[in-house]
Amino acid sequence: MKTKTVSLTLATVFSVSTVLFLLSACSTAQVNQTLGGINDILNTTTKPTDSEVGSGLKEALIKGISTGAASASKVDGYFKNTKIKIPFPPEVQKVETKLRQIGLGKEVDKFVLQLNRGAEDAAKSAKPIFVTAIKSLTLKDVWSILKGKDDAATNFLKRTTTAQLRAKFKPVIGNSLDKVNATKYYGNLVNTYNKIPLVQKVNPDLNDYATTKAIDGLFVLIAKEEKNIRKNPIARTTDLLKKVFSQQDS
């Protein structure tokens, strides 16, 4: 036993000496980067407890949600993001086409802008709704998500919170649409269209459409952040995140 311990100690000393020798030829930035990598390894060698796994995953999800919601709620967060921009309602695409044909293209564009402004405004209220859902995750859910695909957490949230999100988010986005006059613009456009001779009148639920698209957009952003944390060690900004997601990498 003593011989084994001595050998291990000598090997450790040799390894450290070798690292220090190699680092002596590196720049300060390279040294810091290498030492940071060594610290990451040391921090993740101990298998996390179930409690740490739960806390770590929830921390990661809340981080992703915070980033996603902040991105969506800023000006042009939806409007200038081609992945989540809300277009004219597709079920009444003929309305947009006809209005553009009669010279109301600018009014249609103005409505689409205000529609996205409504979603951006409503996104400010999304975070606490998601956080509440995350805190209800069971240990079984946590392990399933941790060992799942890149969007496992996002899909879990979709399955378990969409109905609740719609119920809470719909009045929020309704108020937001009214706040930026999107509802008024839409009503004016539909009324104008309905006055055109021989067209079939339309009156779809704008609030329901905007709610669905706004929630879908948030999930797109959350999925992006989830994938980033899973794939990019640099995105794991705390020791707990590094420790927990090292289990995913193993």
Side-chain angles (χ1 to χ4, degrees):
M1 181 65 70
K2 290 184 179 179
T3 302
K4 185 177 181 180
T5 302
V6 171
S7 299
L8 180 59
T9 303
L10 289 175
T12 302
V13 171
F14 177 76
S15 298
V16 173
S17 299
T18 302
V19 170
L20 292 175
F21 173 76
L22 292 174
L23 290 180
S24 65
C26 299
S27 65
T28 301
Q30 290 171 322
V31 170
N32 289 336
Q33 183 177 10
T34 302
L35 290 176
I38 294 173
N39 285 332
D40 289 348
I41 293 173
L42 293 175
N43 287 332
T44 57
T45 52
T46 303
K47 185 176 180 179
T49 64
D50 287 345
S51 177
E52 287 176 323
V53 170
S55 298
L57 183 66
K58 291 177 183 181
E59 178 184 322
L61 289 177
I62 291 174
K63 178 179 181 293
I65 285 169
S66 299
T67 302
S71 176
S73 63
K74 66 183 180 182
V75 175
D76 290 331
Y78 276 85
F79 187 67
K80 289 190 177 180
N81 186 334
T82 56
K83 292 183 178 180
I84 65 173
K85 179 180 179 180
I86 304 177
F88 203 94
E91 65 269 26
V92 288
Q93 196 70 48
K94 59 185 179 181
V95 175
E96 177 182 7
T97 301
K98 191 66 176 180
L99 291 175
R100 290 189 185 281
Q101 288 176 348
I102 63 176
L104 292 176
K106 288 185 178 179
E107 292 302 312
V108 171
D109 291 337
K110 187 175 183 179
F111 161 71
V112 172
L113 172 63
Q114 295 310 109
L115 177 60
N116 283 271
R117 289 288 183 263
E120 290 158 10
D121 185 63
K124 299 173 184 176
S125 303
K127 180 180 174 180
I129 297 174
F130 282 108
V131 169
T132 298
I134 290 170
K135 289 181 177 179
S136 68
L137 287 171
T138 66
L139 185 59
K140 181 179 179 181
D141 296 330
V142 166
W143 275 109
S144 176
I145 289 171
L146 185 64
K147 293 296 185 179
K149 296 181 179 179
D150 290 347
D151 59 353
T154 304
N155 286 330
F156 177 87
L157 290 173
K158 282 183 181 179
R159 293 194 306 271
T160 59
T161 68
T162 295
Q164 180 186 5
L165 284 169
R166 285 185 63 80
K168 292 185 177 181
F169 208 59
K170 192 170 184 177
V172 174
I173 200 166
N175 290 333
S176 295
L177 292 175
D178 291 340
K179 180 179 176 181
V180 298
N181 291 321
T183 306
K184 177 182 177 181
Y185 290 138
Y186 184 69
N188 291 340
L189 289 174
V190 170
N191 288 334
T192 299
Y193 175 83
N194 286 339
K195 290 177 183 178
I196 299 174
L198 304 179
V199 301
Q200 184 178 358
K201 291 179 171 51
V202 297
N203 188 29
D205 188 339
L206 177 63
N207 195 352
D208 186 69
Y209 169 73
T211 298
T212 298
K213 298 300 290 184
I215 292 174
D216 287 347
L218 283 171
F219 278 127
V220 168
L221 297 177
I222 291 169
K224 177 182 177 182
E225 292 303 319
E226 178 186 359
K227 184 176 182 179
N228 184 42
I229 292 174
R230 286 180 183 272
K231 296 295 185 180
N232 183 9
I234 296 176
R236 304 168 191 173
T237 54
T238 68
D239 289 341
L240 181 57
L241 287 181
K242 293 172 185 175
K243 187 174 185 180
V244 169
F245 279 91
S246 69
Q247 301 305 300
Q248 165 200 270
D249 301 331
S250 59

Short mmCIF file of all heavy atoms in Angstrom, two decimals, residues 64-114:
data_model
loop_
_atom_site.label_atom_id
_atom_site.label_comp_id
_atom_site.label_asym_id
_atom_site.label_seq_id
_atom_site.Cartn_x
_atom_site.Cartn_y
_atom_site.Cartn_z
N GLY A 64 -31.50 29.73 -19.50
CA GLY A 64 -31.90 29.74 -20.89
C GLY A 64 -33.17 30.54 -21.12
O GLY A 64 -33.28 31.29 -22.08
N ILE A 65 -34.12 30.38 -20.21
CA ILE A 65 -35.37 31.11 -20.31
C ILE A 65 -35.14 32.61 -20.16
O ILE A 65 -35.71 33.43 -20.88
CB ILE A 65 -36.37 30.60 -19.26
CG1 ILE A 65 -36.92 29.25 -19.70
CG2 ILE A 65 -37.50 31.59 -19.04
CD1 ILE A 65 -37.70 28.54 -18.64
N SER A 66 -34.31 32.98 -19.20
CA SER A 66 -34.02 34.39 -18.97
C SER A 66 -33.41 35.03 -20.21
O SER A 66 -33.79 36.13 -20.62
CB SER A 66 -33.07 34.55 -17.78
OG SER A 66 -33.65 34.02 -16.60
N THR A 67 -32.45 34.31 -20.80
CA THR A 67 -31.80 34.82 -22.01
C THR A 67 -32.79 34.89 -23.17
O THR A 67 -32.85 35.88 -23.90
CB THR A 67 -30.61 33.92 -22.40
OG1 THR A 67 -29.69 33.87 -21.32
CG2 THR A 67 -29.91 34.46 -23.64
N GLY A 68 -33.58 33.83 -23.32
CA GLY A 68 -34.55 33.79 -24.41
C GLY A 68 -35.62 34.85 -24.28
O GLY A 68 -35.95 35.54 -25.25
N ALA A 69 -36.17 35.00 -23.08
CA ALA A 69 -37.22 36.00 -22.85
C ALA A 69 -36.68 37.41 -23.04
O ALA A 69 -37.36 38.29 -23.59
CB ALA A 69 -37.81 35.83 -21.46
N ALA A 70 -35.46 37.64 -22.58
CA ALA A 70 -34.84 38.96 -22.73
C ALA A 70 -34.63 39.28 -24.21
O ALA A 70 -34.86 40.42 -24.66
CB ALA A 70 -33.51 39.02 -21.99
N SER A 71 -34.22 38.28 -24.97
CA SER A 71 -34.00 38.47 -26.40
C SER A 71 -35.31 38.75 -27.11
O SER A 71 -35.39 39.64 -27.98
CB SER A 71 -33.34 37.22 -27.00
OG SER A 71 -33.22 37.34 -28.40
N ALA A 72 -36.36 38.03 -26.74
CA ALA A 72 -37.66 38.19 -27.39
C ALA A 72 -38.32 39.51 -27.04
O ALA A 72 -39.02 40.12 -27.87
CB ALA A 72 -38.58 37.04 -27.00
N SER A 73 -38.12 39.99 -25.82
CA SER A 73 -38.84 41.17 -25.34
C SER A 73 -38.20 42.50 -25.73
O SER A 73 -38.79 43.56 -25.55
CB SER A 73 -38.99 41.12 -23.82
OG SER A 73 -37.72 41.14 -23.19
N LYS A 74 -37.00 42.47 -26.28
CA LYS A 74 -36.39 43.72 -26.71
C LYS A 74 -37.00 44.18 -28.03
O LYS A 74 -37.64 43.39 -28.74
CB LYS A 74 -34.87 43.56 -26.85
CG LYS A 74 -34.44 42.64 -27.96
CD LYS A 74 -32.93 42.48 -27.98
CE LYS A 74 -32.49 41.55 -29.11
NZ LYS A 74 -31.01 41.36 -29.12
N VAL A 75 -36.81 45.43 -28.37
CA VAL A 75 -37.35 45.95 -29.63
C VAL A 75 -36.77 45.17 -30.79
O VAL A 75 -35.56 44.95 -30.87
CB VAL A 75 -37.01 47.45 -29.79
CG1 VAL A 75 -37.46 47.95 -31.15
CG2 VAL A 75 -37.67 48.27 -28.68
N ASP A 76 -37.64 44.70 -31.67
CA ASP A 76 -37.28 43.88 -32.83
C ASP A 76 -36.87 42.46 -32.45
O ASP A 76 -36.34 41.72 -33.29
CB ASP A 76 -36.15 44.53 -33.66
CG ASP A 76 -36.62 45.79 -34.38
OD1 ASP A 76 -37.82 45.86 -34.72
OD2 ASP A 76 -35.79 46.68 -34.62
N GLY A 77 -37.12 42.07 -31.19
CA GLY A 77 -36.79 40.72 -30.76
C GLY A 77 -37.51 39.67 -31.59
O GLY A 77 -36.94 38.62 -31.90
N TYR A 78 -38.75 39.95 -31.94
CA TYR A 78 -39.49 39.08 -32.85
C TYR A 78 -39.38 39.58 -34.29
O TYR A 78 -39.10 38.80 -35.21
CB TYR A 78 -40.98 39.04 -32.46
CG TYR A 78 -41.33 38.06 -31.37
CD1 TYR A 78 -41.20 38.41 -30.04
CD2 TYR A 78 -41.83 36.79 -31.67
CE1 TYR A 78 -41.53 37.52 -29.03
CE2 TYR A 78 -42.16 35.89 -30.67
CZ TYR A 78 -42.01 36.26 -29.35
OH TYR A 78 -42.33 35.37 -28.35
N PHE A 79 -39.61 40.86 -34.46
CA PHE A 79 -39.76 41.41 -35.81
C PHE A 79 -38.55 41.19 -36.71
O PHE A 79 -38.69 40.94 -37.90
CB PHE A 79 -40.07 42.91 -35.71
CG PHE A 79 -40.42 43.54 -37.04
CD1 PHE A 79 -41.59 43.19 -37.70
CD2 PHE A 79 -39.58 44.47 -37.62
CE1 PHE A 79 -41.91 43.77 -38.93
CE2 PHE A 79 -39.89 45.05 -38.84
CZ PHE A 79 -41.06 44.69 -39.49
N LYS A 80 -37.35 41.28 -36.15
CA LYS A 80 -36.15 41.14 -36.98
C LYS A 80 -35.44 39.80 -36.78
O LYS A 80 -34.32 39.62 -37.25
CB LYS A 80 -35.19 42.30 -36.71
CG LYS A 80 -35.69 43.62 -37.27
CD LYS A 80 -34.63 44.70 -37.23
CE LYS A 80 -35.13 45.99 -37.88
NZ LYS A 80 -34.11 47.06 -37.85
N ASN A 81 -36.11 38.87 -36.13
CA ASN A 81 -35.58 37.52 -36.00
C ASN A 81 -36.39 36.63 -36.93
O ASN A 81 -37.54 36.29 -36.65
CB ASN A 81 -35.68 37.02 -34.56
CG ASN A 81 -35.01 35.67 -34.35
OD1 ASN A 81 -34.89 34.87 -35.28
ND2 ASN A 81 -34.59 35.40 -33.14
N THR A 82 -35.81 36.24 -38.06
CA THR A 82 -36.56 35.49 -39.07
C THR A 82 -37.07 34.15 -38.55
O THR A 82 -38.02 33.59 -39.12
CB THR A 82 -35.67 35.24 -40.30
OG1 THR A 82 -34.46 34.56 -39.91
CG2 THR A 82 -35.30 36.55 -40.98
N LYS A 83 -36.46 33.62 -37.48
CA LYS A 83 -36.89 32.33 -36.96
C LYS A 83 -38.18 32.41 -36.16
O LYS A 83 -38.89 31.41 -35.99
CB LYS A 83 -35.77 31.72 -36.11
CG LYS A 83 -34.55 31.32 -36.91
CD LYS A 83 -33.51 30.65 -36.03
CE LYS A 83 -32.30 30.22 -36.85
NZ LYS A 83 -31.27 29.54 -36.00
N ILE A 84 -38.49 33.59 -35.63
CA ILE A 84 -39.69 33.70 -34.78
C ILE A 84 -40.62 34.84 -35.18
O ILE A 84 -41.64 35.06 -34.54
CB ILE A 84 -39.30 33.85 -33.29
CG1 ILE A 84 -38.56 35.18 -33.05
CG2 ILE A 84 -38.47 32.67 -32.82
CD1 ILE A 84 -38.30 35.46 -31.57
N LYS A 85 -40.27 35.59 -36.22
CA LYS A 85 -41.12 36.71 -36.65
C LYS A 85 -42.52 36.20 -36.94
O LYS A 85 -42.73 35.17 -37.57
CB LYS A 85 -40.53 37.36 -37.90
CG LYS A 85 -41.38 38.53 -38.42
CD LYS A 85 -40.77 39.14 -39.67
CE LYS A 85 -41.62 40.28 -40.21
NZ LYS A 85 -41.03 40.88 -41.42
N ILE A 86 -43.52 36.94 -36.47
CA ILE A 86 -44.92 36.55 -36.64
C ILE A 86 -45.45 37.19 -37.93
O ILE A 86 -45.52 38.42 -38.02
CB ILE A 86 -45.77 36.98 -35.44
CG1 ILE A 86 -45.18 36.41 -34.15
CG2 ILE A 86 -47.21 36.52 -35.62
CD1 ILE A 86 -45.91 36.84 -32.89
N PRO A 87 -45.84 36.38 -38.91
CA PRO A 87 -46.34 36.93 -40.17
C PRO A 87 -47.83 37.20 -40.11
O PRO A 87 -48.49 36.94 -39.10
CB PRO A 87 -46.03 35.80 -41.16
CG PRO A 87 -46.23 34.56 -40.33
CD PRO A 87 -45.72 34.91 -38.94
N PHE A 88 -48.36 37.72 -41.20
CA PHE A 88 -49.80 37.90 -41.32
C PHE A 88 -50.44 36.52 -41.15
O PHE A 88 -49.93 35.53 -41.67
CB PHE A 88 -50.13 38.45 -42.71
CG PHE A 88 -51.46 39.17 -42.78
CD1 PHE A 88 -51.52 40.54 -42.60
CD2 PHE A 88 -52.62 38.47 -43.01
CE1 PHE A 88 -52.74 41.21 -42.67
CE2 PHE A 88 -53.84 39.13 -43.07
CZ PHE A 88 -53.90 40.51 -42.90
N PRO A 89 -51.54 36.41 -40.41
CA PRO A 89 -52.15 35.09 -40.17
C PRO A 89 -52.34 34.30 -41.46
O PRO A 89 -53.02 34.75 -42.38
CB PRO A 89 -53.51 35.45 -39.54
CG PRO A 89 -53.25 36.76 -38.87
CD PRO A 89 -52.30 37.49 -39.78
N PRO A 90 -51.73 33.12 -41.57
CA PRO A 90 -51.78 32.36 -42.81
C PRO A 90 -53.18 31.91 -43.22
O PRO A 90 -53.47 31.77 -44.41
CB PRO A 90 -50.88 31.14 -42.53
CG PRO A 90 -50.85 31.03 -41.04
CD PRO A 90 -50.93 32.43 -40.53
N GLU A 91 -54.06 31.70 -42.22
CA GLU A 91 -55.41 31.24 -42.56
C GLU A 91 -56.21 32.33 -43.28
O GLU A 91 -57.26 32.05 -43.86
CB GLU A 91 -56.16 30.76 -41.32
CG GLU A 91 -56.44 31.84 -40.27
CD GLU A 91 -55.32 31.94 -39.25
OE1 GLU A 91 -54.18 31.57 -39.60
OE2 GLU A 91 -55.60 32.36 -38.13
N VAL A 92 -55.73 33.57 -43.24
CA VAL A 92 -56.39 34.65 -43.98
C VAL A 92 -55.37 35.33 -44.91
O VAL A 92 -55.38 36.53 -45.09
CB VAL A 92 -57.03 35.70 -43.04
CG1 VAL A 92 -58.27 35.14 -42.38
CG2 VAL A 92 -56.04 36.18 -41.99
N GLN A 93 -54.49 34.51 -45.47
CA GLN A 93 -53.46 35.02 -46.37
C GLN A 93 -54.08 35.76 -47.55
O GLN A 93 -53.52 36.73 -48.07
CB GLN A 93 -52.59 33.88 -46.89
CG GLN A 93 -51.27 34.33 -47.51
CD GLN A 93 -50.31 34.87 -46.47
OE1 GLN A 93 -50.11 34.25 -45.44
NE2 GLN A 93 -49.75 36.03 -46.72
N LYS A 94 -55.27 35.31 -47.95
CA LYS A 94 -55.95 35.96 -49.07
C LYS A 94 -56.28 37.42 -48.75
O LYS A 94 -56.35 38.25 -49.65
CB LYS A 94 -57.23 35.21 -49.41
CG LYS A 94 -58.24 35.11 -48.27
CD LYS A 94 -59.43 34.26 -48.65
CE LYS A 94 -60.43 34.15 -47.50
NZ LYS A 94 -61.59 33.31 -47.85
N VAL A 95 -56.46 37.71 -47.46
CA VAL A 95 -56.73 39.09 -47.06
C VAL A 95 -55.51 39.95 -47.36
O VAL A 95 -55.63 41.03 -47.96
CB VAL A 95 -57.07 39.17 -45.55
CG1 VAL A 95 -57.24 40.63 -45.13
CG2 VAL A 95 -58.33 38.37 -45.25
N GLU A 96 -54.34 39.47 -46.94
CA GLU A 96 -53.11 40.22 -47.20
C GLU A 96 -52.89 40.40 -48.70
O GLU A 96 -52.58 41.51 -49.17
CB GLU A 96 -51.90 39.50 -46.59
CG GLU A 96 -50.58 40.21 -46.89
CD GLU A 96 -49.37 39.48 -46.33
OE1 GLU A 96 -49.53 38.35 -45.82
OE2 GLU A 96 -48.26 40.03 -46.43
N THR A 97 -53.04 39.32 -49.45
CA THR A 97 -52.82 39.38 -50.89
C THR A 97 -53.74 40.40 -51.55
O THR A 97 -53.30 41.24 -52.36
CB THR A 97 -53.06 37.99 -51.53
OG1 THR A 97 -52.16 37.06 -50.93
CG2 THR A 97 -52.82 38.04 -53.03
N LYS A 98 -55.01 40.35 -51.20
CA LYS A 98 -55.99 41.26 -51.80
C LYS A 98 -55.73 42.70 -51.41
O LYS A 98 -55.81 43.61 -52.26
CB LYS A 98 -57.40 40.85 -51.36
CG LYS A 98 -58.51 41.56 -52.12
CD LYS A 98 -58.52 41.17 -53.59
CE LYS A 98 -59.69 41.80 -54.34
NZ LYS A 98 -59.69 41.42 -55.77
N LEU A 99 -55.39 42.94 -50.14
CA LEU A 99 -55.14 44.30 -49.68
C LEU A 99 -53.90 44.88 -50.36
O LEU A 99 -53.87 46.08 -50.68
CB LEU A 99 -54.97 44.31 -48.16
CG LEU A 99 -56.24 44.02 -47.35
CD1 LEU A 99 -55.92 43.93 -45.87
CD2 LEU A 99 -57.30 45.09 -47.60
N ARG A 100 -52.91 44.07 -50.59
CA ARG A 100 -51.72 44.56 -51.30
C ARG A 100 -52.07 44.89 -52.74
O ARG A 100 -51.54 45.86 -53.32
CB ARG A 100 -50.59 43.52 -51.23
CG ARG A 100 -49.98 43.37 -49.84
CD ARG A 100 -48.73 42.50 -49.86
NE ARG A 100 -48.20 42.26 -48.53
CZ ARG A 100 -47.45 43.14 -47.84
NH1 ARG A 100 -47.14 44.31 -48.39
NH2 ARG A 100 -47.01 42.83 -46.64
N GLN A 101 -52.96 44.09 -53.32
CA GLN A 101 -53.35 44.31 -54.71
C GLN A 101 -54.08 45.64 -54.89
O GLN A 101 -54.00 46.26 -55.96
CB GLN A 101 -54.24 43.16 -55.20
CG GLN A 101 -53.50 41.86 -55.42
CD GLN A 101 -54.44 40.72 -55.80
OE1 GLN A 101 -55.67 40.84 -55.69
NE2 GLN A 101 -53.87 39.60 -56.22
N ILE A 102 -54.78 46.07 -53.84
CA ILE A 102 -55.54 47.33 -53.96
C ILE A 102 -54.78 48.51 -53.35
O ILE A 102 -55.36 49.55 -53.03
CB ILE A 102 -56.94 47.21 -53.33
CG1 ILE A 102 -56.85 46.93 -51.82
CG2 ILE A 102 -57.75 46.12 -54.04
CD1 ILE A 102 -58.22 46.89 -51.14
N GLY A 103 -53.47 48.32 -53.13
CA GLY A 103 -52.63 49.43 -52.71
C GLY A 103 -52.51 49.67 -51.22
O GLY A 103 -52.08 50.75 -50.79
N LEU A 104 -52.85 48.66 -50.42
CA LEU A 104 -52.76 48.82 -48.96
C LEU A 104 -51.59 48.03 -48.36
O LEU A 104 -51.63 47.62 -47.21
CB LEU A 104 -54.07 48.37 -48.31
CG LEU A 104 -55.30 49.26 -48.62
CD1 LEU A 104 -56.55 48.66 -48.02
CD2 LEU A 104 -55.08 50.68 -48.11
N GLY A 105 -50.55 47.85 -49.17
CA GLY A 105 -49.38 47.10 -48.70
C GLY A 105 -48.74 47.73 -47.48
O GLY A 105 -48.31 47.02 -46.55
N LYS A 106 -48.65 49.04 -47.43
CA LYS A 106 -48.02 49.72 -46.30
C LYS A 106 -48.81 49.49 -45.01
O LYS A 106 -48.24 49.36 -43.93
CB LYS A 106 -47.88 51.21 -46.58
CG LYS A 106 -46.82 51.55 -47.62
CD LYS A 106 -46.66 53.06 -47.77
CE LYS A 106 -45.55 53.40 -48.76
NZ LYS A 106 -45.39 54.87 -48.93
N GLU A 107 -50.13 49.46 -45.15
CA GLU A 107 -50.98 49.22 -43.98
C GLU A 107 -50.80 47.79 -43.47
O GLU A 107 -50.80 47.54 -42.26
CB GLU A 107 -52.45 49.49 -44.33
CG GLU A 107 -52.76 50.93 -44.61
CD GLU A 107 -52.40 51.83 -43.44
OE1 GLU A 107 -52.76 51.49 -42.30
OE2 GLU A 107 -51.75 52.86 -43.66
N VAL A 108 -50.65 46.86 -44.39
CA VAL A 108 -50.42 45.47 -44.01
C VAL A 108 -49.08 45.35 -43.28
O VAL A 108 -48.97 44.69 -42.24
CB VAL A 108 -50.43 44.55 -45.25
CG1 VAL A 108 -49.97 43.14 -44.87
CG2 VAL A 108 -51.82 44.49 -45.86
N ASP A 109 -48.05 45.99 -43.84
CA ASP A 109 -46.72 45.96 -43.21
C ASP A 109 -46.75 46.58 -41.82
O ASP A 109 -46.09 46.09 -40.89
CB ASP A 109 -45.71 46.71 -44.08
CG ASP A 109 -45.42 45.98 -45.38
OD1 ASP A 109 -45.63 44.76 -45.44
OD2 ASP A 109 -44.99 46.65 -46.35
N LYS A 110 -47.52 47.65 -41.68
CA LYS A 110 -47.64 48.32 -40.39
C LYS A 110 -48.30 47.40 -39.37
O LYS A 110 -47.87 47.33 -38.20
CB LYS A 110 -48.46 49.61 -40.54
CG LYS A 110 -48.49 50.47 -39.29
CD LYS A 110 -49.22 51.78 -39.56
CE LYS A 110 -49.21 52.68 -38.34
NZ LYS A 110 -49.91 53.98 -38.60
N PHE A 111 -49.30 46.66 -39.83
CA PHE A 111 -49.96 45.71 -38.92
C PHE A 111 -49.01 44.61 -38.46
O PHE A 111 -48.95 44.27 -37.29
CB PHE A 111 -51.17 45.09 -39.59
CG PHE A 111 -51.61 43.81 -38.94
CD1 PHE A 111 -52.21 43.83 -37.69
CD2 PHE A 111 -51.39 42.58 -39.54
CE1 PHE A 111 -52.59 42.65 -37.06
CE2 PHE A 111 -51.77 41.40 -38.93
CZ PHE A 111 -52.37 41.44 -37.69
N VAL A 112 -48.25 44.04 -39.40
CA VAL A 112 -47.30 42.97 -39.06
C VAL A 112 -46.28 43.47 -38.05
O VAL A 112 -45.91 42.76 -37.10
CB VAL A 112 -46.60 42.44 -40.33
CG1 VAL A 112 -45.48 41.47 -39.95
CG2 VAL A 112 -47.61 41.73 -41.23
N LEU A 113 -45.81 44.71 -38.24
CA LEU A 113 -44.87 45.30 -37.28
C LEU A 113 -45.51 45.39 -35.90
O LEU A 113 -44.90 44.98 -34.90
CB LEU A 113 -44.44 46.69 -37.75
CG LEU A 113 -43.60 47.50 -36.74
CD1 LEU A 113 -42.28 46.80 -36.45
CD2 LEU A 113 -43.35 48.92 -37.28
N GLN A 114 -46.72 45.91 -35.82
CA GLN A 114 -47.38 46.06 -34.54
C GLN A 114 -47.74 44.72 -33.91
O GLN A 114 -47.73 44.57 -32.69
CB GLN A 114 -48.65 46.91 -34.69
CG GLN A 114 -48.38 48.35 -35.11
CD GLN A 114 -47.33 49.01 -34.25
OE1 GLN A 114 -46.21 49.26 -34.69
NE2 GLN A 114 -47.67 49.31 -33.01
#
